[in-house]
Amino acid sequence: MKFKKQIALAAAVTVISSAFLAGCDENKKQTTPAESQSPTASVKSASDMKWWQKTVVYEAYPNSFKDTDGDGYGDLKGLTSELDHLKELGVGAVWITPFFESPMKDNGYDVADYRKVNPRYGTDEDLDNLFSEANKRGIKLVLDLVTNHTSEECEWFKESRSGKDNDKSDYYIWADPAEDGSAPNNWRSIFGGSAWTYDETRKQYYLHTFGDFQPDLNWANPKVRQEIYDVANYWADKGAGGFRLDAIPYIKKPAEMKNGEPDQEDGTVSIHTMTVNTDGILDYLHEFKDKVSKGRDIFTVGEANGVPASELNKWVGDNGVFDMIFSFDHENVQFTGGEVWSATKDWKLTELKKTFTDSQNAIKDNGWYPMYLENHDQPRSINHFLPEGADPVLGGKALATLLMTMRGTPFMYEGEEIGMTNVDWDNIDDYNDISSKNQYQVALDKGLSREEAIKCVQKYSRDNARTPMQWNTSENAGFTTGTPWLKTNSNYKTVNVETEKSDPDSVLNFYMRLKSLRANNSVFIDGSYEEKLADSEEIFSYVRANSKDKVQVLINFTGSEVSYDTSEIDMDAAPLISNYSETEVGKLKPYEAVVVELKH
Ligand code: NOJ
């Protein structure tokens, strides 16, 4: 039964008690598929949508998730042991970052053997067991395909570098030195330094978009592409529910690899500028779709930094190549010069909101969006998107509301569900991440002091997201009985799964409520998206609507109280959720998030 508030309809401000808020998710009726579409309804109703559009995906970073053998690194058994936690969160798929054999110079994004489990994480049997236990709980496993590059330890590269005359000589991108023996051009790799490394045996340079230990595969070679499809099909046949495709916009290189206009004083240009989304890349990816995805009930999500909203239709949707692509626009809102941590500006909320709205508008009729605020390459969202000093519990819940109510599939990153935050280590030696070390050096080279350089690292280090998952109050947050590979965040005594489970006001329990809200209201799945209050620098607001329901999400991104217009709000219906125990419709308290029903 739908609860009606006994208040005067004209009242602009209504106080709702926490007792009501706690119960209202469950009281909300299930909406039924739309027979005809209202002007604002999105194209498909929930019943016609794919499983991966209706679920929540959870990203697990194996190194940091849970260690069961005391070696200080997480493992597959640890992931298996926590599947029930994920199930409770409403997770239907787990994206596991690479767990394949690797020298681990980039924590698995340097794959030596695409078909073998890294012994650090366990055995083939452990993986089979993970598949089977996940399956029992209705959870699919989504694998990370790193195919722009391999590790230098991959057998393909070992053979390729052994000379110019072997079966795999064209598996990678080789070029002769410039006349003076230097690198073939001025491209700079994403992890810093030249994108070319000289190989003594082959007497040529090989290209690497990332580290020198990550040689780029030559996708122009059909044999290489077939190897990649074979790997993907091998895992899809084993039951993978989907793939995340790493670093995908870099796979195609321009026919002529010329010098670029320098963007740094040292005369180099970022390889990103020179190779991102080279013409013809979509032909390769259509081939991937034909040879791997077609006919399978899996989803693909490309990590596609640099695809503008205007191009999204070529990448996703019926004529696209993937089901979804991760945009970086919202994550990079503060950067002024590429992704250089020491080149940032104060960003405005309107800029952040625009990144989401542009993507949503571009794919509103055809295409789907992977909603994410965190992953293993980004700082924690509470620190990233909220002002310094924001209350992490209120803030964590506010961002959770955004994650779970935006149109698209929510991708939740480990620890986000408990509101984990950045660390503030002031010694660069405490960091493990290769790009943190590089960015630290870049900052020093630019003339910043050590203190200033470490501040950049504290803000943007990828290790912020990679500290051990916080399970309980025991030593090392219950992540390991050994010495963790990366220090544990010192806030683990309060921010951890066990403590938050028993606290009704925790971020974790707020996620549980958001999960129920999504499960019981299909408008959060199939409803259209329309931004409201687009000019506001305080409130992020949007309407989700289908033929049955129309709701408005309002999130205060500031520490001040702000008011908003209530003329479209159904004052008879209580808010569906709020991160405060009492909410006044028409006003948002600091970092308040509320979802209200609209008249229709
Ligand atoms: C993107 C991955 O997410 C990141 O962790 C990795 O370092 C690079 N690609 C290189 O594979």
Side-chain angles (χ1 to χ4, degrees):
M1 194 193 83
K2 193 162 154 183
F3 185 93
K4 293 266 180 189
K5 287 178 297 173
Q6 303 303 310
I7 52 156
L9 278 179
V13 175
T14 307
V15 180
I16 309 298
S17 78
S18 57
F20 175 80
L21 285 171
C24 63
D25 315 346
E26 287 72 30
N27 291 336
K28 187 76 175 70
K29 66 190 182 303
Q30 181 93 41
T31 52
T32 49
E35 274 161 22
S36 63
Q37 276 158 26
S38 71
T40 51
S42 61
V43 179
K44 280 182 182 160
S45 65
S47 58
D48 298 329
M49 290 165 73
K50 309 257 200 222
W51 66 269
W52 46 265
Q53 295 179 292
K54 299 187 254 192
T55 197
V56 174
V57 181
Y58 187 93
E59 184 195 349
Y61 194 69
N63 252 15
S64 309
F65 191 68
K66 186 146 197 184
D67 176 24
T68 57
D69 60 9
D71 69 354
Y73 295 99
D75 45 45
L76 295 177
K77 277 188 179 152
L79 182 48
T80 310
S81 72
E82 292 296 347
L83 285 171
D84 286 335
H85 167 64
L86 306 187
K87 184 76 202 157
E88 276 174 40
L89 283 169
V91 166
V94 184
W95 152 29
I96 321 173
T97 60
F99 53 80
F100 312 106
E101 209 162 84
S102 159
M104 301 299 278
K105 291 188 182 167
D106 187 18
N107 291 339
Y109 283 94
D110 44 337
V111 179
D113 189 328
Y114 290 94
R115 292 176 177 82
K116 284 210 181 116
V117 173
N118 186 334
R120 175 187 285 183
Y121 297 136
T123 61
D124 288 350
E125 206 188 329
D126 295 338
L127 181 63
D128 288 346
N129 193 40
L130 173 60
F131 265 107
S132 118
E133 289 300 317
N135 194 31
K136 277 185 204 159
R137 292 164 177 81
I139 297 177
K140 313 255 190 188
L141 300 184
V142 173
L143 270 47
D144 209 322
L145 280 183
V146 187
T147 58
N148 172 69
H149 47 270
T150 67
S151 156
E152 63 191 335
E153 307 269 314
C154 179
E155 289 304 323
W156 300 342
F157 188 64
K158 287 186 187 162
E159 189 174 337
S160 191
R161 79 187 322 181
S162 68
K164 290 182 188 155
D165 228 0
N166 60 67
D167 278 356
K168 306 220 168 8
S169 65
D170 290 340
Y171 267 42
Y172 294 84
I173 298 166
W174 293 98
D176 290 329
E179 267 174 25
D180 63 356
S182 63
N185 64 32
N186 68 342
W187 297 359
R188 189 179 65 252
S189 79
I190 289 178
F191 287 161
S194 172
W196 296 94
T197 292
Y198 188 67
D199 185 83
E200 282 297 342
T201 314
R202 192 159 154 153
K203 308 263 180 266
Q204 279 188 309
Y205 281 86
Y206 63 88
L207 184 68
H208 47 90
T209 300
F210 295 91
D212 58 0
F213 53 89
Q214 291 164 306
D216 277 25
L217 281 164
N218 178 16
W219 274 67
N221 180 346
K223 283 192 196 155
V224 169
R225 301 205 298 277
Q226 192 55 50
E227 297 268 18
I228 291 166
Y229 309 145
D230 289 349
V231 166
N233 280 315
Y234 171 84
W235 287 110
D237 290 346
K238 269 195 172 286
F243 296 107
R244 178 255 191 193
L245 292 101
D246 184 69
I248 217 68
Y250 306 118
I251 59 171
K252 186 159 198 290
K253 314 299 188 263
E256 278 186 86
M257 294 194 284
K258 295 187 187 148
N259 275 347
E261 190 62 39
D263 61 15
Q264 298 286 310
E265 278 171 10
D266 64 4
T268 62
V269 59
S270 167
I271 190 169
H272 172 91
T273 316
M274 304 308 293
T275 64
V276 71
N277 302 326
T278 299
D279 272 355
I281 185 174
L282 291 169
D283 296 339
Y284 294 160
L285 296 174
H286 273 292
E287 193 178 71
F288 180 93
K289 184 175 173 182
D290 283 347
K291 301 226 172 183
V292 179
S293 327
K294 217 178 206 161
R296 292 189 190 267
D297 188 18
I298 61 173
F299 74 80
T300 51
V301 54
E303 189 207 25
N305 185 9
V307 175
S310 55
E311 297 275 305
L312 271 176
N313 272 311
K314 298 185 190 151
W315 286 75
V316 297
D318 297 337
N319 302 320
V321 291
F322 297 131
D323 294 306
M324 300 172 263
I325 62 171
F326 288 126
S327 155
F328 281 36
D329 293 350
H330 58 291
E331 299 289 357
N332 289 346
V333 69
Q334 70 284 343
F335 292 131
T336 52
E339 284 160 47
V340 178
W341 298 354
S342 47
T344 59
K345 62 173 166 76
D346 287 336
W347 53 274
K348 291 190 172 146
L349 184 63
T350 43
E351 294 172 274
L352 180 77
K353 297 191 296 186
K354 188 173 181 310
T355 64
F356 291 107
T357 299
D358 285 354
S359 298
Q360 290 293 345
N361 289 343
I363 55 167
K364 67 180 188 319
D365 298 322
N366 190 359
W368 197 244
Y369 189 72
M371 177 60 194
Y372 79 101
L373 297 172
E374 292 187 12
N375 66 30
H376 64 284
D377 292 332
Q378 298 296 336
R380 291 291 182 178
S381 54
I382 292 171
N383 304 89
H384 196 170
F385 298 116
L386 299 177
E388 219 174 309
D391 180 311
V393 176
L394 276 176
K397 293 175 185 177
L399 294 172
T401 309
L402 176 61
L403 181 73
M404 299 289 278
T405 62
M406 176 62 70
R407 180 173 184 263
T409 300
F411 279 68
M412 187 190 295
Y413 179 66
E414 66 183 39
E416 197 172 357
E417 75 272 34
I418 52 171
M420 279 178 68
T421 54
N422 281 359
V423 284
D424 57 1
W425 305 329
D426 52 18
N427 185 344
I428 191 65
D429 294 337
D430 283 336
Y431 292 85
N432 164 281
D433 167 31
I434 176 170
S435 93
S436 300
K437 292 179 191 287
N438 167 52
Q439 294 270 2
Y440 180 71
Q441 196 51 51
V442 169
L444 293 180
D445 293 347
K446 276 174 68 180
L448 270 69
S449 67
R450 286 190 183 276
E451 214 179 20
E452 289 163 334
I454 203 76
K455 281 225 153 60
C456 302
V457 173
Q458 287 171 344
K459 258 189 144 164
Y460 300 114
S461 173
R462 307 194 299 178
D463 283 340
N464 282 311
R466 299 175 181 185
T467 59
M469 176 67 187
Q470 294 165 202
W471 294 104
N472 56 44
T473 55
S474 67
E475 205 182 348
N476 300 316
F479 161 72
T480 181
T481 53
T483 307
W485 70 280
L486 192 65
K487 288 203 295 184
T488 309
N489 191 318
S490 56
N491 67 8
Y492 74 89
K493 293 269 181 197
T494 46
V495 180
N496 67 73
V497 173
E498 195 178 270
T499 305
E500 293 197 24
K501 261 191 184 162
S502 54
D503 172 4
D505 291 329
S506 66
V507 176
L508 181 59
N509 273 314
F510 193 72
Y511 263 106
M512 295 308 213
R513 289 178 53 204
L514 284 163
K515 173 196 95 170
S516 307
L517 186 67
R518 268 177 74 83
N520 295 323
N521 299 264
S522 66
V523 71
F524 295 106
I525 310 288
D526 61 13
S528 57
Y529 168 94
E530 189 194 345
E531 191 182 346
K532 292 282 173 187
L533 310 175
D535 295 335
S536 170
E537 296 295 357
E538 290 95 22
I539 303 176
F540 192 171
S541 180
Y542 44 91
V543 168
R544 303 288 316 271
N546 62 15
S547 61
K548 300 280 176 197
D549 286 297
K550 203 170 181 188
V551 300
Q552 184 169 1
V553 179
L554 295 127
I555 303 167
N556 182 0
F557 270 68
T558 75
S560 314
E561 191 168 288
V562 280
S563 53
Y564 57 90
D565 174 47
T566 58
S567 54
E568 288 180 56
I569 296 174
D570 178 353
M571 300 302 282
D572 282 346
L576 297 173
I577 198 163
S578 160
N579 57 348
Y580 274 81
S581 55
E582 288 203 335
T583 189
E584 294 179 32
V585 177
K587 273 189 190 163
L588 290 172
K589 299 193 187 74
Y591 308 109
E592 179 166 6
V594 67
V595 183
V596 293
E597 294 199 57
L598 298 187
K599 297 174 196 156
H600 58 127

